[in-house]
Amino acid sequence: GGSAVIDMENMDDTSGSSFEDMGEMHQRMKEEEEEDEAEGEAGAGEEEDGEFLGMKGLRGQLGRQVADQMWQVGKRQASRAFSLYANIDILRPYFDVEPVQVRARLLESMIPVKMINFPQKIAGELYGPLMLVFTLVAILLHGMKTSDTIIREGTLMGTAIGTCFGYWLGVSSFMYFLAYLCNAQITMVQMLSLLGYGLFGHCITLFVTYNIHFHSLFYIFWLVVGGLSTLRMVAVLVSRTVGHTQRLILCGTLAALHMLFLLYLHFAYHKVVEGILDTLEGPNMPPFQRVARDIPVVSNAVLNTTAKAIALTV
Amino acid sequence: FPGLADVSISQDIPVEGEITVPVGSHSPDEDYSTLDEPVKDTIMRDLKAVGKKFVHVMYPRKSSTLLRDWDLWGPLVLCVSLALMLQGGSADSKDDGGPQFAEVFVIIWFGAVVITLNSKLLGGTISFFQSLCVLGYCVMPLTVAMLVCRLVLLAGAGTVSFIIRLIVVGAMFGWSTLASTAFLADSQPPNRKALVVYPIFLFYFVISWMILTFTPQ
């Protein structure tokens, strides 16, 4: 390509160019030599002419060298930029954990701390939260499949991934922004980590209540398990914030978002099964409820086929 | 380094040897011959490599052949066949015929990429495409399970068939996870194997769940 290369053939107008003068002088000298010399030395003259390659040759060689240099520089810059930005080693410190640490942090996420006057330590680790988000996606898929949720725009998988990752990343960013406004001492990675580990309570609750369909059971789990993980997150945040109003704003927002998300996950992806149970409770058919309590896995298939049969007859 | 002070080479022992690195001197000839060989030979060689890898997945031993010469033909074939078999199997087949195929494809490749990145971040020594290759080939037991499920569903969709499908899918899921763990967990530091195995478990669990809950029209 000629765009990046200085096209020296177009510099004919610069009459002061020393290259051209040199070239012309050489050319004239060569011609004079050839005229002066006998035919016997014409071969040598031609050879020399061939080596010199004339004016075009010199420009061509220079152009080629410049092009070569620019290519080298461009390639070096591109590889440097690539190794800087596409380097996953940036994330490596956040994945430096042992399995015992992950287990300990999972259990700790359900235990609220008592000491809120001293800033609590938050581990800035991303492996646990990432795995919890994926687990939540898997549980959500299970819930959507068993409730035969019909997603019209988009796919089941896309909705599940979008919901879970959207919550984790979006609410973390929002809380980090609020924390910045309220002068809390927390970094983005710590916020991501805190919220991610808070999803452990959600995973447990949804795993249990997607298999055992009882309104009251869900509410108990929502309050107890959801409440414990919320209390832990709130306590850690409070320990890192100064001032009553700021503490109230931060913790109120986090508690509300966390608990409402669990409520949303349960009801948005479960309404078909709730509807079936309501219609079953109507004509007084308690045996189905007892089946749901005993063998959850098989009862889903039975419930679904029965529901389809009922829907067909209605 | 005090101990190296007395090391000296006496003057009368000539230092000699070869500096040239012994490269396979017949490699230019090899390149020539693979270019000139008939197409059948090339295809048969690739098919044999793919077949050998399938056998490795069936009997997972700790061998490095699967890792050394990675290829993505097997994963592609398995992924496409699994996605084709999983099509048209939900309440509204009119809406879900298309996205079903894309869903399975995206899940398998996106999941494999995430697991590979995770194992690299945890300090793994395996390369990106080698890991993709292993994870893709270990989907084979689940493809076999899908085939069996489809045949069982042809006979009927009652509780007995559900139990049979559950057992078959469960066994194949265990086989897949064990096979991929046998290849991938070796490349990790020993105390972090559980951290790498869990995402693989989750990945094959999601695929098994899609197979198990598949009900044709």
Side-chain angles (χ1 to χ4, degrees):
Chain A
S3 54
V5 175
I6 304 166
D7 200 353
M8 300 196 76
E9 289 175 13
N10 288 335
M11 283 164 74
D12 285 325
D13 293 330
T14 61
S15 55
S17 164
S18 52
F19 284 134
E20 291 207 34
D21 295 344
M22 279 265 298
E24 280 177 26
M25 267 167 49
H26 267 272
Q27 203 62 14
R28 247 179 269 127
M29 276 161 53
K30 284 276 182 271
E31 282 163 15
E32 281 168 27
E33 274 182 22
E34 277 177 45
E35 279 173 16
D36 289 345
E37 281 165 5
E39 294 88 309
E41 287 173 306
E46 272 176 12
E47 265 179 43
E48 279 180 338
D49 230 354
E51 277 177 14
F52 186 61
L53 287 176
M55 192 51 211
K56 278 243 184 302
L58 185 61
R59 264 190 248 146
Q61 267 180 8
L62 202 66
R64 236 176 291 135
Q65 268 181 5
V66 171
D68 202 21
Q69 264 181 5
M70 295 204 66
W71 167 252
Q72 294 289 338
V73 168
K75 191 164 126 179
R76 232 178 296 138
Q77 276 182 349
S79 63
R80 227 183 298 149
F82 181 73
S83 64
L84 193 68
Y85 292 116
N87 202 2
I88 59 167
D89 282 337
I90 303 174
L91 291 175
R92 211 178 271 269
Y94 304 126
F95 280 76
D96 193 12
V97 282
E98 307 290 320
V100 278
Q101 282 179 326
V102 176
R103 202 178 343 131
R105 283 174 195 160
L106 280 176
L107 292 174
E108 266 174 16
S109 75
M110 303 295 294
I111 306 172
V113 285
K114 296 240 168 51
M115 207 166 36
I116 55 173
N117 297 318
F118 186 73
Q120 296 296 317
K121 193 169 71 78
I122 310 177
E125 167 228 333
L126 288 180
Y127 173 81
L130 202 65
M131 288 306 129
L132 278 171
V133 172
F134 279 121
T135 312
L136 192 63
V137 168
I139 296 177
L140 217 63
L141 269 182
H142 165 35
M144 289 200 277
K145 277 274 185 182
T146 51
S147 73
D148 272 343
T149 308
I150 297 167
I151 308 259
R152 296 222 173 262
E153 285 160 18
T155 63
L156 234 57
M157 191 71 197
T159 316
I161 291 186
T163 311
C164 296
F165 269 97
Y167 171 78
W168 184 46
L169 295 171
V171 172
S172 287
S173 318
F174 178 64
M175 290 306 305
Y176 178 66
F177 169 67
L178 271 188
Y180 172 75
L181 287 180
C182 298
N183 247 339
Q185 290 171 353
I186 193 166
T187 67
M188 184 66 190
V189 174
Q190 285 175 332
M191 192 67 227
L192 280 170
S193 183
L194 193 68
L195 203 69
Y197 274 113
L199 287 176
F200 182 52
H202 283 14
C203 286
I204 297 179
T205 312
L206 290 173
F207 182 65
V208 169
T209 55
Y210 276 164
N211 289 317
I212 308 173
H213 312 281
F214 284 117
H215 260 329
S216 44
L217 184 69
F218 168 70
Y219 282 123
I220 294 173
F221 263 86
W222 179 64
L223 277 175
V224 172
V225 177
L228 274 179
S229 71
T230 313
L231 274 178
R232 154 124 191 133
M233 290 198 299
V234 157
V236 169
L237 263 185
V238 159
S239 75
R240 289 172 162 253
T241 320
V242 180
H244 281 297
T245 325
Q246 287 96 322
R247 284 179 170 182
L248 202 62
I249 295 175
L250 266 183
C251 304
T253 325
L254 184 61
L257 286 172
H258 202 238
M259 301 295 271
L260 285 176
F261 184 56
L262 186 53
L263 222 57
Y264 167 71
L265 282 181
H266 178 85
F267 285 111
Y269 300 115
H270 222 54
K271 49 181 183 293
V272 182
V273 182
E274 305 290 335
I276 292 171
L277 275 180
D278 286 336
T279 56
L280 288 177
E281 279 166 8
N284 283 326
M285 295 174 79
F288 279 84
Q289 280 190 349
R290 282 193 215 120
V291 170
R293 224 178 300 196
D294 293 333
I295 313 165
V297 176
V298 180
S299 79
N300 280 347
V302 172
L303 262 179
N304 286 343
T305 45
T306 320
K308 282 195 186 115
I310 290 178
L312 281 172
T313 54
V314 164
Chain B
F1 304 103
L4 292 178
D6 6 331
V7 169
S8 61
I9 302 175
S10 77
Q11 301 296 328
D12 40 354
I13 299 178
V15 177
E16 59 182 8
E18 275 197 23
I19 301 183
T20 57
V21 177
V23 179
S25 55
H26 52 273
S27 56
D29 297 73
E30 255 187 20
D31 282 347
Y32 236 88
S33 63
T34 61
L35 207 57
D36 285 346
E37 70 181 5
V39 176
K40 184 171 82 86
D41 282 354
T42 317
I43 294 182
M44 285 312 294
R45 193 177 53 233
D46 283 340
L47 277 179
K48 269 194 217 132
V50 171
K52 217 187 323 176
K53 291 202 187 77
F54 275 132
V55 170
H56 272 286
V57 172
M58 300 268 288
Y59 304 108
R61 282 183 309 260
K62 288 192 197 344
S63 89
S64 56
T65 329
L66 201 73
L67 294 181
R68 237 183 310 127
D69 319 310
W70 59 267
D71 74 85
L72 292 177
W73 283 113
L76 182 70
V77 164
L78 288 171
C79 188
V80 168
S81 55
L82 192 63
L84 281 175
M85 284 196 278
L86 274 173
Q87 245 194 337
S90 50
D92 274 21
S93 66
K94 214 168 12 134
D95 291 300
D96 293 341
Q100 205 79 345
F101 183 91
E103 244 182 84
V104 177
F105 224 83
V106 164
I107 288 174
I108 292 185
W109 291 104
F110 178 66
V113 165
V114 165
I115 294 177
T116 309
L117 282 179
N118 175 59
S119 78
K120 280 193 82 85
L121 283 169
L122 285 172
T125 56
I126 204 171
S127 96
F128 184 71
F129 284 110
Q130 281 173 345
S131 175
L132 276 186
C133 168
V134 168
L135 286 167
Y137 271 103
C138 291
V139 170
M140 193 190 75
L142 287 170
T143 314
V144 168
M146 182 71 216
L147 209 60
V148 169
C149 279
R150 271 228 112 139
L151 293 173
V152 167
L153 279 170
L154 280 178
T159 316
V160 177
S161 90
F162 180 79
I163 293 182
I164 297 176
R165 280 186 291 139
L166 181 68
I167 294 175
V168 167
V169 170
M172 292 298 161
F173 159 66
W175 195 344
S176 281
T177 313
L178 278 173
S180 61
T181 314
F183 290 114
L184 287 181
D186 272 348
S187 63
Q188 291 293 323
N191 52 341
R192 294 205 184 165
K193 288 209 181 64
L195 295 182
V196 174
V197 168
Y198 179 68
I200 302 178
F201 168 85
L202 209 57
F203 176 60
Y204 288 126
F205 182 79
V206 169
I207 300 181
S208 318
W209 190 248
M210 283 198 298
I211 294 175
L212 193 60
T213 57
F214 170 78
T215 47
Q217 289 316 102

